[in-house]
Amino acid sequence: MPPRAASAAGASCSGRGWLPHHPAAALHAALAGRGRRAPAVEAAAARPFGSAPAKVVYIPHLLSPHDFAAVQSEARKLQPQLREELNCIAKGRLGCYLPPSSAAVAVFSSRDLAEQLTTRLRSALPLSLSDFPIELRQYPKGAEMPWHLDEQLFKEPQWEMIFTIDNTSDSRTEWRDAEGLPHSVWTEPNSLLAVEAEGWEHRVVPSTRGSRTILKLAYATTTAKLPAFDANLTREASTPRAPRPMALPLRAAVAPGHAASGRSAARRAPGAVAVPLMPSLEAHQRVGNSSGPCSRCGSAQRRRQQRPAAAAAQAAPSSQPGAEDGDWDPTELLSVMASTRSYAQLAALVESQRAALLGSPLCVYALLHAVQLRDTISDEKLGHGSLASEGQVLQQLELVEGLLEQLCDAAEAQVGALPLPSQAALALALAQLDYYHAPTYAAIAAAVTAELAEKQPPQQQQQQQQQEQQGGGAAGVSAGPPRAAALAALPAALVPGVLLSLCVAFSLNGHHDEQLLEELAAQAVAFRGASPEPGPLISMAAALLDLQAYCPALVGAAADAVLAQQAAEGGGGGGARGEGAGALGADEVVSLLLCVAFFRVPAPAFVELALQPSPPTTPPPPRQSFAADPKGVLELEPQTLGRLWKALLLLAAQGTRPPPELLELFALVQEAEPDALLLGSARGAVGAEDAAAVAAAAPELAAQWADAGLLAPADMLRALEAMGCALQRRAALPLPPPLAPLEAGEDGAPPAALVDLYVTLPDGRAAAVLVLDESRYCHSPPGRLRGGAAVEVLVLQGLGLAVLPLPLAEWQALGGDAQLQARYLRARLDAAAGGARAAAA
């Protein structure tokens, strides 16, 4: 199961992202009139029985419809748990463990299935499901796995099973047989690709569209294990961390039993963040990991014994010649700093050169270098492999956290002396490390705001804009707000990157500084003519929406830039969603639509460009709307699809009616994948399966879940029911008038507004429940909702519902006191009832 690179040592995966689950292939069949054809079984799986057994076998239609549906349902429930894998040769893949109590584990533990596989794989001994945890994995667009061999975990080679749950991608799995002949297959849903460990080299080719969701499990003929089995149960995974007021504790990433809540560092536009559910934590606890797994890399580097972080920190000074001399000049010190290859070495250098590093701007460059080391956190020496125990991981994380806090404390006093691009780089570096240090962000905000306060003289600004237009910048752009002199002094190509870096950095770490964000938005509009590309403006608007920073002028400038790009490309096939070189991606168009709707920016031409189908003209106009591209809509990532639906609902509340073709598509999506269009957020609530897992868990484990706040949603909902409130999950509500039902005679039923958790108040009024964890709030100022939650509130209010917000932090602060909890909920219900009366009026 752990891959062993066939030609090169495994490279670490970096970055994190929300793992998408695409609408079922049935949606494509509904449009095309037929489903995908199942690929033929490859020759390697169809060899004559007298020949040598194949090491790779493809088996379509493995499970019964009932069992396959159970596996699909389990995969959907675990979508919020998926995290990008670390320390693996796969690139961009995400995964998590299945809980032992899951329905999928029961399906693959079946004796009948084991006997069937024993026969079809021509195994000399009976096969059975091994006790290595089953993994749910997904390959998003662009994810891949290079040529490799799977590492042997048992005394007899196990069979690695890749069971495909969903596949809307064009990725194929390739392998070479014993004669070196190539084979390839597109794995259809409900198919199994079996690979014998240490058998044939194989790889997963990167996809150009869609995604592929699989289960990875192992069947073995023996329970006798090799050392590699245990080595692969103690490994680090990518885990988001819960925020704290001043700095985020890195140790929370692996502390067992703690909630994994956080934000995607790769996110450019707001999106919901799910809270882990109980059963998955049970599996993670079993393998000493509180989140999703990293891929099991079988390289020799990864399997070697690791030194504890503290020992590395002590040994590091001796590995840096002259580290204690104390007479390095800044250039030499920067050179030595750049040569450090681990956090332990960097910490040792900082300790030996405290005065030189912590008392000068060099501490900022040490922080920037720390970003380059973020992939080495699992190995204190070379940056490959994983630490041997959870204790070593915690020790390493404590070392990193202490180093970052020390450097941030020093950088706070040095920020004002940095040039503007370095200030932006520092803010983004901390966001990339997912490390929040409130004083440093406050210092960066103050320094940048002061630097942008000095404006360029109007005459110089006019001359600069004329030069930009002559040099290929956007034409026909008005003068706009005054430009900051500090930005005007930079190369024109650098300005959008500086502004975007600052917006994204403050968004990712949830730091809202009104004065700074207003100035950044104004400067983006002022420098609109420097570049004809709308992409940076859209990304900035999405980042500011995530912080609820009011920026209608920026959103309007982004919409104008899209229209200008559309006009400039003429008949070249570009436009909002065309194929031209400057064409926007669907995610960018949806982000801008959501910003237009949320901030109520009058941009009818852009909305029509994005939504309305093209009229029949010759030649066709250079644009492609969502309504004109049904297949493209169905291939959107679920998060993007959900944001597009919310944008339509907000626009409808403002009187904009989407085209019927688009509503028909959403009706198809909702029929096949209702969760993709779910409104509201009770994802932190514990369901029936989770309640059963809690009841069956050991007291110590249940107490850890309670301390982490994972039981609080269920406690709140039970308390609401005890007070006479009727709760309903997946409530379907009628759409507002601009989204009225399809006219009589049209095929299909209209989509409904599907609300995750709906409560009928004691007086009969209706309210949508929002369970809000810390990830739904900014770090600074406390209590400020992030844009994703604010969008939810506006959408629900537009449907005529009151909103009952239930912040987990407030509930936990009550300390389990039943009387205080009852008074708290009563006050919340009274406030929601007032909102319901206002909505009804």
Side-chain angles (χ1 to χ4, degrees):
M1 186 168 288
R4 177 164 58 81
S7 58
S12 295
C13 299
S14 62
R16 297 215 299 262
W18 179 83
L19 182 60
H21 175 74
H22 286 274
L27 292 178
H28 300 275
L31 288 175
R34 59 184 177 84
R36 292 182 185 266
R37 278 181 46 196
V41 177
E42 299 296 330
R47 292 170 177 245
F49 193 81
S51 63
K55 305 296 185 181
V56 176
V57 178
Y58 178 73
I59 305 173
H61 314 301
L62 179 72
L63 301 179
S64 68
H66 177 270
D67 287 345
F68 183 46
V71 174
Q72 287 179 309
S73 175
E74 184 73 20
R76 283 193 293 269
K77 293 176 185 176
L78 290 177
Q79 288 294 316
Q81 304 289 345
L82 290 158
R83 298 288 183 267
E84 187 158 359
E85 300 173 349
L86 297 177
N87 308 320
C88 62
I89 62 172
K91 300 176 181 178
R93 189 177 68 197
L94 302 96
C96 74
Y97 287 121
L98 264 63
S101 59
S102 81
V105 173
V107 167
F108 287 98
S109 299
S110 162
R111 179 178 298 179
D112 290 342
L113 180 58
E115 292 176 352
Q116 176 189 353
L117 292 174
T118 300
T119 301
R120 300 187 74 166
L121 300 179
R122 298 166 60 183
S123 175
L125 296 173
L127 289 167
S128 61
L129 182 66
S130 74
D131 57 352
F132 203 100
I134 299 178
E135 297 174 56
L136 176 66
R137 292 178 174 177
Q138 192 168 55
Y139 287 81
K141 176 182 175 182
E144 64 176 314
M145 195 172 191
W147 289 106
H148 67 281
L149 293 173
D150 288 334
E151 185 181 14
Q152 184 174 338
L153 303 181
F154 298 83
K155 288 191 175 180
E156 295 295 329
Q158 76 278 4
W159 280 90
E160 301 287 337
M161 309 293 189
I162 300 96
F163 178 78
T164 300
I165 301 172
D166 181 52
N167 193 355
T168 61
S169 75
D170 57 354
S171 174
R172 299 180 70 85
T173 301
E174 299 179 348
W175 67 90
R176 306 185 186 107
D177 63 20
E179 288 76 37
L181 298 177
H183 302 271
S184 173
V185 65
W186 178 87
T187 60
E188 65 178 309
N190 196 20
S191 69
L192 186 78
L193 187 68
V195 181
E196 190 177 51
E198 304 289 349
W200 291 348
E201 291 180 356
H202 54 285
R203 69 171 179 173
V204 178
V205 180
S207 64
T208 61
R209 64 176 184 271
S211 69
R212 173 171 168 257
T213 306
I214 66 170
L215 290 180
K216 186 69 180 289
L217 55 153
Y219 279 72
T221 60
T222 177
T223 58
K225 301 177 179 64
L226 298 178
F229 184 98
D230 291 329
N232 285 292
L233 285 178
T234 54
R235 63 190 190 274
E236 185 200 7
S238 170
T239 310
R241 297 181 291 277
R244 67 179 185 180
M246 297 297 290
L248 300 185
L250 294 173
R251 65 177 65 90
V254 293
H258 285 258
S261 63
R263 301 166 311 286
S264 166
R267 193 182 72 242
R268 292 197 308 174
V273 179
V275 177
L277 303 180
M278 294 301 104
S280 293
L281 284 181
E282 184 177 358
H284 303 154
Q285 184 75 9
R286 184 164 74 92
V287 297
N289 190 331
S290 64
S291 183
C294 63
S295 180
R296 296 186 293 284
C297 176
S299 66
Q301 291 173 323
R302 191 215 155 280
R303 293 195 296 265
R304 61 178 167 71
Q305 194 71 11
Q306 305 293 330
R307 296 181 304 161
Q314 295 173 359
S318 62
S319 65
Q320 301 287 347
E324 298 179 356
D325 295 345
D327 55 356
W328 283 335
D329 63 33
T331 303
E332 292 174 327
L333 199 52
L334 283 173
S335 176
V336 174
M337 183 193 306
S339 69
T340 58
R341 302 179 61 193
S342 72
Y343 283 109
Q345 291 180 353
L346 182 58
L349 178 63
V350 170
E351 185 63 28
S352 67
Q353 300 291 321
R354 292 182 63 86
L357 281 172
L358 301 182
S360 74
L362 289 176
C363 63
V364 174
Y365 296 99
L367 275 172
L368 296 177
H369 181 61
V371 179
Q372 307 302 317
L373 301 175
R374 63 183 181 274
D375 291 333
T376 72
I377 196 168
S378 66
D379 188 318
E380 68 279 9
K381 184 179 180 182
L382 294 176
H384 295 88
S386 62
L387 298 175
S389 70
E390 181 179 292
Q392 289 181 340
V393 173
L394 290 173
Q395 190 176 31
Q396 171 75 346
L397 292 174
E398 288 174 355
L399 168 71
V400 175
E401 183 183 354
L403 172 64
L404 294 179
E405 188 165 2
Q406 186 176 207
L407 291 174
C408 282
D409 288 341
E412 181 185 349
Q414 304 295 334
V415 165
L418 298 174
L420 186 57
S422 296
Q423 293 167 342
L426 174 59
L428 190 59
L430 292 176
Q432 289 175 329
L433 285 169
D434 204 10
Y435 185 79
Y436 178 65
H437 191 269
T440 300
Y441 269 87
I444 294 173
V448 172
T449 303
E451 194 152 2
L452 298 181
E454 183 181 350
K455 298 300 189 285
Q456 187 182 30
Q459 186 176 3
Q460 290 184 12
Q461 179 171 339
Q462 185 178 5
Q463 293 174 351
Q464 190 176 42
Q465 288 176 322
Q466 292 174 351
Q467 293 172 359
E468 290 167 354
Q469 293 182 11
Q470 294 170 1
V477 178
S478 59
R483 292 185 170 187
L487 289 172
L490 298 175
L494 186 59
V495 173
V498 170
L499 294 173
L500 180 58
S501 295
L502 287 165
C503 288
V504 170
F506 278 76
S507 170
L508 290 176
N509 263 336
H511 191 101
H512 183 280
D513 185 288
E514 185 173 0
Q515 188 176 2
L516 170 68
L517 299 179
E518 286 182 357
E519 187 61 43
L520 292 177
Q523 291 304 308
V525 176
F527 282 89
R528 154 79 179 90
S531 171
E533 297 296 331
L537 295 175
I538 296 174
S539 297
M540 286 186 64
L544 295 183
L545 171 58
D546 191 34
L547 291 170
Q548 276 204 84
Y550 188 62
C551 56
L554 173 60
V555 176
D560 291 343
V562 173
L563 296 174
Q565 182 188 61
Q566 154 76 16
E569 291 181 349
R577 300 192 60 245
E579 301 297 333
L584 296 176
D587 188 68
E588 291 176 302
V589 177
V590 171
S591 293
L592 186 52
L593 274 174
L594 193 59
C595 290
V596 166
F598 182 83
F599 293 118
R600 292 178 167 267
V601 176
F606 166 73
V607 173
E608 181 182 2
L609 177 71
L611 298 183
Q612 297 295 336
S614 304
T617 61
T618 305
R623 66 181 176 88
Q624 185 179 21
S625 71
F626 283 117
D629 183 22
K631 192 171 183 180
V633 172
L634 297 180
E635 290 179 349
L636 292 177
E637 303 286 1
Q639 186 186 36
T640 303
L641 199 62
R643 289 166 51 230
L644 177 58
W645 178 237
K646 291 169 188 174
L648 293 182
L649 291 174
L650 288 176
L651 290 170
Q654 299 165 27
T656 300
R657 179 179 177 83
E661 299 91 336
L662 195 53
L663 292 180
E664 292 175 8
L665 288 174
F666 275 103
L668 282 174
V669 172
Q670 195 168 74
E671 181 180 357
E673 293 287 339
D675 284 359
L677 305 184
L678 199 60
L679 303 174
S681 175
R683 283 178 290 267
V686 177
E689 293 184 4
D690 299 311
V694 172
E700 181 181 354
L701 184 57
Q704 289 179 346
W705 287 341
D707 292 342
L710 296 175
L711 306 185
D715 293 340
M716 286 192 290
L717 300 185
R718 282 194 295 267
L720 282 173
E721 290 180 316
M723 297 176 69
C725 296
L727 298 178
Q728 182 180 350
R729 298 301 295 265
R730 305 298 194 269
L733 304 179
L735 296 173
L739 296 176
L742 303 176
E743 297 179 4
E746 294 188 55
D747 295 333
L754 196 61
V755 180
D756 192 2
L757 187 60
Y758 176 89
V759 59
T760 303
L761 303 176
D763 60 1
R765 296 184 177 91
V769 177
L770 287 181
V771 178
L772 301 170
D773 65 7
E774 288 183 332
S775 69
R776 308 284 270 177
Y777 292 95
C778 293
H779 289 146
S780 177
R784 184 182 187 87
L785 278 179
R786 280 185 170 269
V791 167
E792 297 271 8
V793 171
L794 281 186
V795 169
L796 294 168
Q797 290 176 341
L799 295 172
L801 291 174
V803 176
L804 177 60
L806 296 176
L808 293 182
E810 292 184 2
W811 181 262
Q812 290 178 278
L814 300 176
D817 188 309
Q819 291 184 344
L820 290 177
Q821 290 174 345
R823 289 169 55 189
Y824 172 80
L825 288 178
R826 196 170 294 111
R828 284 283 180 185
L829 288 169
D830 289 343
R837 285 191 290 271

